[in-house]
Amino acid sequence: MFSMATIRDVAKQAGVSVATVSRVLNSNGYVNNETKKKVDEAIQQLNYKPNAVARSLYKKTSKTIGLIVPDIGNPFFPELARAVEDTAHKKGYNVFFCNTDENAEKEEHYLEILLQKYVDGVIVASNTLTAEKVKELNIPVVSIDRKITAEIPTVVVKNKEGAQKATGYLKEIGCERIAHLRGPHHIDNANERVDGYLEEVGNEPWFESSYIVDGNYVMKNAIQATLELLERHPEIDGIFAANDVMAIGAVKAAHRFGKKVPEELAIIGFDGISMAEATTPELTTIAQPIYDMGTAVTDLLVKLIEKKPVERTFLELEVELVERESTRKQNNKGGR
């Protein structure tokens, strides 16, 4: 069966990276003469013909962008993707969508695929992508939801401030023992939300470090972590979960444990996903402006692609407290 050579085959034959082959094909970026000769020879030997993108090369644009997310199972990312796709479409761009499952090798593979497709730029939510790798890609890259380095344009929200708002709200409504379901330790927004929680309760006489438990942004993990938390600390009457998926898991765990939400246990999440309104009870949350984030990051990337002026390359958007049923206290401990 006839099989066409790919850009990866050329890179392997020439002993260089896919990004280097891409630079040679696009005549874009510096490649020394010896390396260029190796790539040209590999292209001839393998009879590599990037004809599917010939017109894109001629125009120096493919009118496509890549969107790489870490977990399609988290409803936050499909909602974000919708905004990216809507905005890109209005600006005349198509979107290649990639899900890495928090896997660095899978992310590397997708980046190579996107280079093969000659995308004009990439939006990425990543914990593993380095500044060196971004530079090697030689196309505009914008980070969403998570910071990579100060040099890479980024759109995030005020995570620490939102966490303070969530924890402070639980105190306001009368909670006296507040726990935190945290996200993964290697993700900066999870650490910022822990910092915000600690800012509010870290100096309280009742605070214990064991009030912070790992939920890893996953519902299943959050259910188990909450059950163990309530078993160890039955005095807990408030939980701030670092995302809505974990908060929903905490509600399920409370039901299994026999604690009533919100009468005996108030629960607040973070994200503002649509699913939060479909739970019973409906979930109080710190809402990120998800659609606005997707719009802003796409606008930013397109400006970079089209070499238009960019006022700011770091956008930190506001979050909002949305009060629903999971925190409406019905006892006499106070609050709204």
Side-chain angles (χ1 to χ4, degrees):
M1 186 188 225
F2 178 72
S3 177
M4 290 181 65
T6 68
I7 194 171
R8 294 181 74 183
D9 296 329
V10 174
K12 186 177 180 181
Q13 179 89 351
V16 298
S17 69
V18 169
T20 298
V21 176
S22 179
R23 284 197 289 271
V24 172
L25 290 169
N26 285 298
S27 299
N28 184 12
Y30 174 75
V31 180
N32 67 52
N33 290 332
E34 186 179 345
T35 301
K36 185 177 183 303
K37 185 180 177 183
K38 286 181 182 177
V39 173
D40 287 338
E41 287 175 354
I43 288 171
Q44 282 190 325
Q45 290 165 5
L46 296 171
N47 195 29
Y48 174 65
K49 298 183 187 300
N51 48 20
V53 293
R55 284 176 297 176
S56 297
L57 289 172
Y58 175 74
K59 295 176 182 178
K60 297 298 180 187
T61 176
S62 65
K63 284 293 183 179
T64 58
I65 61 176
L67 172 61
I68 299 179
V69 302
D71 181 13
I72 192 63
N74 182 338
F76 172 83
F77 291 108
E79 291 187 29
L80 181 71
R82 174 63 184 271
V84 169
E85 197 279 331
D86 282 352
T87 308
H89 179 72
K90 289 174 186 174
K91 294 178 178 297
Y93 287 79
N94 295 311
V95 180
F96 286 122
F97 185 81
C98 308
N99 171 53
T100 68
D101 292 319
E102 300 275 11
N103 183 305
E105 288 183 12
K106 202 171 176 183
E107 180 178 87
E108 177 78 20
H109 171 71
Y110 276 133
L111 286 168
E112 290 184 7
I113 293 289
L114 292 173
L115 284 175
Q116 289 179 40
K117 299 294 184 184
Y118 297 95
V119 295
D120 297 319
V122 179
I123 296 168
V124 60
S126 172
N127 312 304
T128 57
L129 192 62
T130 63
E132 292 75 21
K133 181 63 182 177
V134 170
K135 189 175 181 181
E136 185 182 301
L137 292 174
N138 209 42
I139 55 174
V141 174
V142 179
S143 181
I144 181 75
D145 186 53
R146 302 166 188 192
K147 304 183 191 86
I148 299 175
T149 68
E151 293 77 35
I152 296 169
T154 302
V155 177
V156 291
V157 297
K158 295 181 177 179
N159 288 293
K160 182 177 178 182
E161 185 178 300
Q164 287 179 260
K165 192 175 290 190
T167 312
Y169 169 71
L170 291 176
K171 290 167 73 175
E172 283 178 33
I173 64 171
C175 294
E176 297 175 349
R177 298 289 188 277
I178 302 168
H180 179 49
L181 271 173
R182 66 159 295 150
H185 291 253
H186 63 280
I187 297 179
D188 59 349
N189 60 31
N191 293 325
E192 288 166 359
R193 292 170 198 178
V194 172
D195 290 344
Y197 163 79
L198 288 172
E199 193 79 23
E200 286 292 321
V201 302
N203 292 322
E204 294 283 356
W206 50 262
F207 174 73
E208 298 180 37
S209 59
S210 56
Y211 277 23
I212 302 175
V213 294
D214 293 326
N216 294 312
Y217 284 164
V218 178
M219 187 182 297
K220 183 178 178 182
N221 295 27
I223 291 171
Q224 186 58 39
T226 304
L227 288 170
E228 292 172 3
L229 179 70
L230 294 175
E231 185 70 41
R232 189 166 59 247
H233 293 293
E235 73 277 10
I236 285 170
D237 57 0
I239 293 177
F240 162 46
N243 75 356
D244 286 345
V245 168
M246 291 195 298
I248 293 167
V251 171
K252 291 175 74 70
H255 178 71
R256 288 187 196 175
F257 195 81
K259 273 194 181 275
K260 294 178 183 178
V261 177
E263 293 88 345
E264 298 173 295
L265 180 65
I267 297 174
I268 184 170
F270 196 116
D271 275 347
I273 60 175
S274 300
M275 189 189 296
E277 295 182 79
T279 60
T280 304
E282 292 183 6
L283 186 68
T284 294
T285 186
I286 299 298
Q288 302 192 60
I290 302 174
Y291 199 92
D292 291 347
M293 292 172 71
T295 298
V297 77
T298 310
D299 280 339
L300 182 53
L301 181 63
V302 170
K303 283 180 180 177
L304 293 171
I305 290 168
E306 297 178 353
K307 296 181 170 34
K308 292 180 178 176
V310 175
E311 291 181 12
R312 290 185 297 160
T313 57
F314 182 77
L315 301 176
E316 193 174 34
L317 305 183
E318 299 286 343
V319 293
E320 177 188 4
L321 171 65
V322 179
E323 299 177 66
R324 298 196 185 102
E325 298 167 349
S326 67
T327 55
R328 290 175 185 160
K329 288 283 186 179
Q330 296 178 15
N331 57 25
N332 295 322
K333 286 168 74 175
R336 33 193 172 175

